[in-house]
Amino acid sequence: MSGQAASASFDAGTKVFRLDGGGVSYVFGVNQKGELQQLYWGGRLGAADAFPSARALPEWASFDSSYSNTPQEYAGWGAGLFNEPALKVSFADGNRDLVLHYESHTAQPNGFDVVLKDISRPIFVTLHYAIDPESGILARSAIIENRGAEAVTVEQAAAAAWALPAGRYSLNYLTGRWAGEWTLNQEPVLHGARVIESRRGSTGHQANPWFAIQAGDTNEDHGSVWFGALAWSGSWRITVEQDQLDAVRVTGGFNPFDFGFVLHPGERLETPVFYGGYAANGLGGASRLLHRFELEHILPRTAATAGQALPKPRPVIYNSWEATEFNVNEAGQMALAEKAAALGIDRFVMDDGWFGQRKDDHAGLGDWYVNAEKFPHGLKPLIDKVHALGMDFGLWVEPEMVNPDSDLYRKHPDWALHFPGRPESEQRNQLVLNLARPDVRAYVLGFLDKILTENDIAFLKWDYNRNWSEPGWEQLPAAEQKRVYVEFTRNLYSILAELRQKHPNVEIESCSGGGGRVDLGILRYTDEVWPSDNTDPFDRLTQQDGFTYAYSPQVMMAWVTDSPHWLNKRTTSLEYRMLSSMQGSLGIGANITKWSDEETATAKRLIAAYHQVQTTIVQGNLYRLISPRNGSEFSATQTVRPDKSQSVVFAFIHSTQEGRLFPTLKLRGLDPAAEYTLTPIQGKARMGTPEVASGAWWMNHGLDMDTEFRGDFQAAAFRLNRK
Ligand code: GLA
């Protein structure tokens, strides 16, 4: 559906707003009471189709009010609202009733700003709507403004509420834990509420701020899917509820748990953006839309890619963490760098251990000077060596943290989040700095700027290895301390933005002990993410599958590490490990100085092959052909360049049972009339498979694997190039 223009219209007679973009229409209007009511969200309607005025739904007997039953765009808690409110406030006089009615609107690029106001008090809410012309993905957010003379406490503020008509639906959402992120859950939407959230101060490994709701028997390839992603890296909540009349609402924004934002007269609170989209072609279609939107509209650009439609594919990196852990030093890193360069690596990244008195995880966080024992001449000799070997250099930092055993903590014990007189709970022997404080913000920005100014650094791996406890902010009046939930994350974003502006070529990875801070908020400022500390190549297949429902393979860093794997003690071949990681943005994280000549040659060959097809893999249209989930014996993915000139296929056997052959892979998304040449990257096609055949042949007849493609942890990959 791409190529269709966006349009945004308002019919003054019916008071109906209509947004069209890609294959999507989104319609809402002002009803007879003045409430802003959702009317339609789904496939694009005819340009001449007109909607009648919105009519509030009636009450259901005397128990469910019209106010509750009507799918409001942004309902204030008041007037007998029993569903999840978008906004809940408390006034200084004890009044907590808030009823928002339409006030005015202004046209904005591809959308509107619609202003609502409480029926009697000067609380104004500006709802922002913008639809992407290509994907039809909507960006929605709200600004809450107190134009009264007294302070008002915002107790709950959503970015947006989405509504679907009464029906039978399933919900998809992602959950996990450290080393076990990206589990895709699929369950029916039932009456009551399903809450997915983080109360941790950051996005969290345990749930991710993304959802997809599918109608009836929708699957990977067919049917209607409504999806959304919240762009916020602090505590968040998305509530999916089927209401008393079987309609579905999805409300998401700041997590109301322990929330309270005091708006003084004249102050405003801006919510995060909640993106929402619709696809008519299943969960696969939904994720392809989201991937393209992320590449084109969310991910930052560097000086080198400024103004370009797409960010550049990630350099193939080497990272020292699993090889050395904290035992980094000049000679050891140089030896790794030499070997990395010989493999064809583009970027060498030194991980944890280079700074302060950092010998293990007990000390050093907060002291961002180079450890003179490990690097007696500073970082320059290592960086120069890495450059001389033809790679650029990246460095690990964990800016928001402090070890109590550090000079920083000894000097500023009050900088860590804490409640005075209460214990400070350590995790991994560290505390979280209160980044909401202006002095802490200045310190963090200052040392990062200094490191980037004094050293030729192309990349920061920005880590964040614990969640919050005792989130006090004693400098503020008691009633205002909960601002920390908003200001911390805002300062994080503003530091990232300022660093990128001052150092426009630097690229940044968002890591949080793996995938603990992955969301569309942080991805506006970071070029890639670390999905999981779990680098087991078999576990990664399922994790990567789950990850791609919400996020593009471009940002999905995947390292090849040593076998047997430290977590599962599983032994796998280097070819299998390489192909598992080649499904995303490839890195090597093994102790490569110990690799045999044969292993070195295999990695070198596959890195070279990866370089040839990487753009297709990370920026193409992804088809999840066979899911690795639910104990599947096999899995397979295929990506196709948007211009259909190249496609890459990956096939994995988890463990052959009863001698079963790998299923025929009916390829997708090719040009049926064009001829494609099949080239193996690893493994073989079945004897008799044509080297050249039409897109129609590969899609209808399909691709068969060699009959000897059997066993445990086997992998094959192929490239198809249009002739
Ligand atoms: C986290 C990261 C790892 C590594 C360590 C270093 O766990 O996810 O990749 O950087 O910290 O301490």
Side-chain angles (χ1 to χ4, degrees):
M1 281 300 221
S2 68
Q4 295 199 49
S7 76
S9 62
F10 175 71
D11 183 324
T14 55
K15 294 193 181 157
V16 168
F17 295 86
R18 175 169 165 176
L19 304 173
D20 300 285
V24 180
S25 295
Y26 188 89
V27 188
F28 56 98
V30 182
N31 67 25
Q32 76 277 22
K33 297 190 205 163
E35 297 154 357
L36 202 62
Q37 180 178 343
Q38 198 252 35
L39 293 171
Y40 176 78
W41 184 23
R44 191 162 179 154
L45 304 170
D49 292 337
F51 271 80
S53 295
R55 298 292 304 170
L57 296 192
E59 64 179 25
W60 183 246
S62 52
F63 291 97
D64 282 302
S65 66
S66 161
Y67 190 74
S68 241
N69 295 341
T70 301
Q72 295 190 52
E73 285 289 287
Y74 202 84
W77 184 74
L81 181 76
F82 306 114
N83 305 323
E84 188 71 10
L87 184 62
K88 182 175 186 313
V89 303
S90 205
F91 293 91
D93 62 0
N95 171 51
R96 302 187 307 285
D97 185 59
L98 184 76
V99 177
L100 298 169
H101 281 183
Y102 169 81
E103 179 81 6
S104 64
H105 72 270
T106 50
Q108 299 293 332
N110 299 326
F112 293 100
D113 276 352
V114 182
V115 180
L116 310 180
K117 181 190 166 294
D118 177 63
I119 48 175
S120 70
R121 297 191 172 205
I123 295 294
F124 287 78
V125 178
T126 304
L127 300 181
H128 180 68
Y129 295 84
I131 194 160
D132 174 40
E134 286 286 317
S135 63
I137 290 177
L138 275 134
R140 293 183 56 189
S141 58
I143 296 173
I144 301 133
E145 191 179 349
N146 176 13
R147 293 196 204 156
E150 283 188 290
V152 175
T153 303
V154 176
E155 294 172 346
Q156 182 162 350
W162 307 95
L164 299 174
R168 195 165 60 80
Y169 301 98
S170 301
L171 170 67
N172 299 266
Y173 62 103
L174 293 161
T175 58
R177 58 178 167 156
W178 176 79
E181 302 89 334
W182 311 112
T183 301
L184 182 75
N185 305 275
Q186 299 183 308
E187 65 189 27
V189 174
L190 300 173
H191 288 97
R194 157 60 81 188
V195 173
I196 48 175
E197 65 171 349
S198 161
R199 299 180 175 192
R200 298 163 178 269
S202 64
T203 324
H205 301 72
Q206 293 72 12
N208 192 267
W210 167 87
F211 74 89
I213 293 180
Q214 58 195 78
D217 47 12
T218 299
N219 59 25
E220 181 69 18
D221 298 314
H222 304 285
S224 287
V225 178
W226 296 264
F227 57 94
L230 187 66
W232 186 242
S233 315
S235 290
W236 58 273
R237 189 167 94 176
I238 296 175
T239 303
V240 180
E241 48 182 353
Q242 186 160 42
D243 72 11
Q244 56 285 352
L245 301 179
D246 305 333
V248 171
R249 316 253 173 108
V250 183
T251 309
F254 297 122
N255 195 326
F257 179 81
D258 198 36
F259 193 79
F261 196 100
V262 177
L263 280 183
H264 294 284
E267 269 192 328
R268 296 143 62 104
L269 171 63
E270 187 167 353
T271 71
V273 179
F274 203 169
Y275 294 96
Y278 167 81
N281 51 345
L283 290 162
S287 60
R288 286 188 289 278
L289 277 182
L290 198 46
H291 294 171
R292 195 126 308 277
F293 182 76
E294 289 161 359
L295 289 168
E296 289 176 359
H297 300 292
I298 300 286
L299 290 171
R301 301 292 184 269
T302 60
T305 55
Q308 289 183 13
L310 298 174
K312 77 171 174 28
R314 307 290 69 230
V316 175
I317 65 147
Y318 177 78
N319 179 293
S320 61
W321 174 245
E322 289 198 22
T324 65
E325 297 212 329
F326 299 95
N327 302 321
V328 295
N329 59 46
E330 192 178 285
Q333 292 292 301
M334 284 186 176
L336 285 166
E338 276 176 15
K339 192 76 198 261
L343 291 173
I345 297 281
D346 306 310
R347 170 172 290 170
F348 183 85
V349 184
M350 177 160 69
D351 210 279
D352 198 352
W354 59 270
F355 55 91
Q357 296 307 306
R358 187 84 166 156
K359 297 188 177 61
D360 52 33
D361 62 16
H362 285 80
L365 288 173
D367 299 341
W368 298 102
Y369 60 85
V370 180
N371 181 297
E373 271 170 60
K374 299 179 182 185
F375 296 92
H377 319 288
L379 296 180
K380 191 165 186 315
L382 174 61
I383 296 178
D384 287 349
K385 169 99 181 174
V386 166
H387 289 163
L389 289 164
M391 300 178 289
D392 66 24
F393 182 78
L395 191 65
W396 181 95
V397 288
E398 193 176 359
E400 299 139 281
M401 297 289 166
V402 65
N403 287 117
D405 186 359
S406 67
D407 295 342
L408 184 73
Y409 187 78
R410 283 182 281 273
K411 198 166 161 203
H412 296 291
D414 57 317
W415 277 13
L417 285 175
H418 71 285
F419 290 119
R422 304 286 305 171
E424 294 173 55
S425 304
E426 292 176 23
Q427 284 161 29
R428 207 194 194 201
N429 313 301
Q430 65 196 56
L431 299 169
V432 184
L433 290 173
N434 184 357
L435 198 64
R437 288 174 57 137
D439 46 4
V440 175
R441 181 192 183 281
Y443 171 76
V444 168
L445 177 63
F447 82 73
L448 288 167
D449 183 33
K450 187 161 179 282
I451 292 174
L452 293 176
T453 305
E454 290 176 356
N455 301 282
D456 193 349
I457 290 177
F459 171 78
L460 289 178
K461 173 176 171 180
W462 183 305
D463 213 334
Y464 182 85
N465 274 313
R466 60 160 291 180
N467 296 132
W468 292 10
S469 56
E470 301 100 16
W473 186 357
E474 60 184 307
Q475 285 70 31
L476 296 193
E480 306 205 10
Q481 292 191 11
K482 292 173 180 173
R483 270 183 112 89
V484 69
Y485 286 105
V486 176
E487 304 292 359
F488 185 111
T489 305
R490 281 186 179 165
N491 279 353
L492 166 65
Y493 291 159
S494 73
I495 291 170
L496 286 162
E498 210 168 317
L499 281 177
R500 295 195 75 107
Q501 203 208 345
K502 282 192 169 168
H503 307 277
N505 277 314
V506 169
E507 299 180 336
I508 304 175
E509 175 176 281
S510 173
C511 173
S512 173
R517 195 154 64 186
V518 181
D519 57 78
L520 294 193
I522 201 86
L523 280 170
R524 287 184 300 220
Y525 306 100
T526 55
D527 306 83
E528 58 186 57
V529 301
W530 182 227
S532 180
D533 276 350
N534 183 350
T535 52
D536 177 293
F538 173 59
D539 283 8
R540 270 292 177 116
L541 295 183
T542 327
Q543 293 186 308
Q544 292 175 178
D545 175 78
F547 184 96
T548 61
Y549 279 83
Y551 302 103
S552 160
Q554 159 94 6
V555 302
M556 183 173 80
M557 303 311 290
W559 304 346
V560 174
T561 59
D562 285 314
S563 173
H565 192 263
W566 57 268
L567 185 62
N568 291 323
K569 314 293 177 199
R570 178 176 292 118
T571 301
T572 52
S573 69
L574 183 57
E575 288 83 350
Y576 179 82
R577 281 176 274 149
M578 288 290 301
L579 265 57
S580 170
S581 294
M582 284 162 66
Q583 289 193 303
S585 284
L586 177 64
I588 306 287
N591 194 350
I592 48 179
T593 52
K594 297 219 168 114
W595 276 6
S596 66
D597 289 350
E598 197 189 331
E599 286 173 310
T600 305
T602 299
K604 200 174 165 179
R605 171 176 68 81
L606 288 170
I607 290 171
Y610 178 76
H611 272 132
Q612 289 185 332
V613 291
Q614 179 186 8
T615 306
T616 302
I617 294 171
V618 299
Q619 298 187 345
N621 289 321
L622 173 69
Y623 296 89
R624 291 175 291 252
L625 299 180
I626 306 176
S627 165
R629 276 177 284 119
N630 306 321
S632 169
E633 231 173 296
F634 314 104
S635 61
T637 61
Q638 181 205 356
T639 38
V640 185
R641 258 183 197 250
D643 69 3
K644 300 180 191 280
S645 63
Q646 187 178 64
S647 179
V648 179
V649 178
F650 288 99
F652 297 92
I653 295 176
H654 309 164
S655 188
T656 295
Q657 291 179 319
E658 298 162 352
R660 249 188 296 282
L661 294 181
F662 201 91
T664 301
L665 293 177
K666 308 233 179 202
L667 303 189
R668 309 284 310 279
L670 303 175
D671 175 355
E675 298 275 299
Y676 289 88
T677 309
L678 180 78
T679 312
I681 294 172
Q682 179 69 40
K684 285 193 285 191
R686 190 164 303 173
M687 202 186 285
T689 299
E691 204 185 309
V692 179
S694 66
W697 198 92
W698 298 117
M699 292 195 287
N700 295 321
H701 173 280
L703 170 63
D704 286 310
M705 300 293 132
D706 184 21
T707 54
E708 286 303 306
F709 186 54
R710 277 179 277 161
D712 295 341
F713 309 119
Q714 300 295 313
F718 300 86
R719 184 179 83 204
L720 289 106
N721 275 28
R722 190 170 56 199
K723 278 188 84 178

